[in-house]
Amino acid sequence: MKRKFECKNCGKLFEADDSTMVVCPHCQSDNVDIARARIPVKVWIAVAGVIAVVFLTYLLFKNGGEEQENVNEVLIIDEPIIGGGDTIKVNAELVIPPTIEVGDLSLDGNGYTFKVGVKNPPAQKVFIAIFHPYDSLKQIARSEDGQFKGVPYSDADGAFYNIALVDAATDTVICSIPKTGFIKQVAVATKMTAAELQQKIESRDESLMGIGENDYLAPDYKLTFTGLPSDAVNIPTILSDVFEKLDMETWATVTVTNLWYDDKNRISSITLDVKLP
C-alpha cells in the first residue's frame, strides 16, 4: 500500500509502498517515518489575516474600561481550513457603541427643560451638545451631565434640534439623533373664540394643520367629540385629521361647541359635534 513518508535525514516528503523496506529516494536514507498532515502556509496566512481583522475591529469599537458595565457581543468567525473539514473559530468581544436617549420636553418660562441620557457611555470625557439642524457649527447649548434648562425654540421646519454626544478632547461628534418638539410657544393677548375657530375649520386654515403653527392653539391641545356612534373607529386626535374626514365626506359637518384655555390664553381642548352623512 502506497503511503506518504517523510525523510528524517533530508526532510523531503515522498510516496512509497510500505509492503517493502522504505528508503528515501532523495538521499537513500532509511531513517523515514509516516508523514504527518501539514497545514499549508497559505492557510496560516489566511488565519493570521482573520485574527488581524477581528483585533482591529475590537480596537475600533472598544470604548470603555473595566469599570464600565457595557454589554458585550461575541463575534464568531468560522474559516474552513483549505483541503479539510476542520474549522478555525476566532472569538472577539465587541463593545456596543454609545447611544443617546432624550427625555420628554417641558416648557419652563420661554425655554425647554429636559434630560439626555447616554447608554453604553465611552471611557473618555464627553459632553452633550445641541446643534442647529441646518448649521452643524451652531451650538445652541451644552451640558456635562445631560441636564438642560431654558433651551429656546427651534426655527427649523419641524421644530427640531440635533442632540449629540461629543468627545471633549477632540470636540468631535460621537453620535447624534434629531429631537422634535422645540416649538415656539408664546402667550397671546386675546383668546380665539369658538366662532373664529369654526371659521378657520370651514376654510381649512393651514395654520391648524401642523403642531405649533398657530399661536392660539396649545401644541398639545385635545379633541373630544359628540354625535359619534359608540363603535366609531379612527377618531381624530388633531384638526388635520378632522379636515380629512370632512374632505372625504366621511363626516358631513363639525361644529365647535366648547373650548378650554391654558394659562397663555391658548386653546387647550376643543369639543366638536359631528354630523354624519
Side-chain angles (χ1 to χ4, degrees), residues 18 25 28 31 36 50 76 98 119 122 134-136 143 155 166 168 181 186 205 208 211 218 226 242 276:
D18 63 357
Q28 308 305 316
N31 185 21
R36 297 179 181 178
V50 171
I76 306 295
K119 190 175 182 180
Y134 303 148
D135 186 354
S136 60
S143 172
D155 59 4
V166 182
V186 296
D205 192 297
L208 304 183
I211 302 298
T226 58
V242 173
L276 300 177

Side-chain angles (χ1 to χ4, degrees), residues 35-275:
R36 297 179 181 178
R38 292 185 176 183
I39 298 176
V41 173
K42 60 183 179 180
V43 173
W44 290 114
I45 294 174
V47 172
V50 171
I51 294 174
V53 169
V54 172
F55 183 69
L56 288 174
T57 304
Y58 169 74
L59 291 179
L60 287 174
F61 284 94
K62 184 178 181 182
N63 59 2
E66 295 181 356
E67 72 279 6
Q68 290 183 299
E69 296 180 355
N70 290 349
V71 179
N72 293 332
E73 292 180 341
V74 177
L75 174 68
I76 306 295
I77 297 178
D78 291 349
E79 185 72 21
I81 295 178
I82 299 172
D86 295 332
T87 298
I88 305 167
K89 292 185 178 292
V90 182
N91 295 357
E93 291 186 346
L94 298 180
V95 179
I96 298 176
T99 55
I100 298 173
E101 298 176 342
V102 183
D104 295 333
L105 308 182
S106 61
L107 190 63
D108 182 12
N110 291 322
Y112 286 93
T113 297
F114 59 98
K115 182 178 180 180
V116 179
V118 180
K119 190 175 182 180
N120 305 314
Q124 68 266 33
K125 186 177 180 181
V126 295
F127 62 88
I128 305 295
I130 302 175
F131 292 100
H132 193 282
Y134 303 148
D135 186 354
S136 60
L137 299 179
K138 185 177 180 181
Q139 185 172 293
I140 308 301
R142 64 177 283 171
S143 172
E144 308 297 331
D145 59 3
Q147 300 281 353
F148 288 91
K149 187 176 182 180
V151 176
Y153 72 88
S154 172
D155 59 4
D157 291 339
F160 75 102
Y161 285 126
N162 287 327
I163 315 297
L165 179 67
V166 182
D167 188 317
T170 61
D171 205 32
T172 56
V173 173
I174 298 172
C175 61
S176 68
I177 60 171
K179 175 64 177 177
T180 60
F182 295 94
I183 300 167
K184 181 181 179 181
Q185 300 190 49
V186 296
V188 292
T190 58
K191 299 176 180 178
M192 181 187 293
T193 65
E196 290 171 332
L197 180 59
Q198 183 72 44
Q199 189 277 325
K200 289 183 179 296
I201 291 174
E202 292 174 357
S203 65
R204 308 295 192 268
D205 192 297
E206 290 186 356
S207 70
L208 304 183
M209 299 288 284
I211 302 298
E213 296 293 328
N214 192 302
D215 290 343
Y216 292 85
L217 278 179
D220 56 350
Y221 69 87
K222 308 297 181 187
L223 294 179
T224 56
F225 299 92
T226 58
L228 291 177
S230 59
D231 60 350
V233 296
N234 299 324
I235 298 175
T237 57
I238 54 177
L239 287 171
S240 59
D241 290 343
V242 173
F243 294 170
E244 183 178 351
K245 294 283 189 182
L246 294 170
D247 293 339
M248 296 293 291
E249 298 184 352
T250 305
W251 294 353
T253 63
V254 294
T255 304
V256 179
T257 59
N258 212 341
L259 297 177
W260 285 263
Y261 301 88
D262 62 14
D263 58 0
K264 296 182 184 295
N265 290 331
R266 304 174 304 179
I267 297 171
S268 60
S269 183
I270 306 167
T271 299
L272 297 171
D273 184 61
V274 179
K275 298 299 181 185

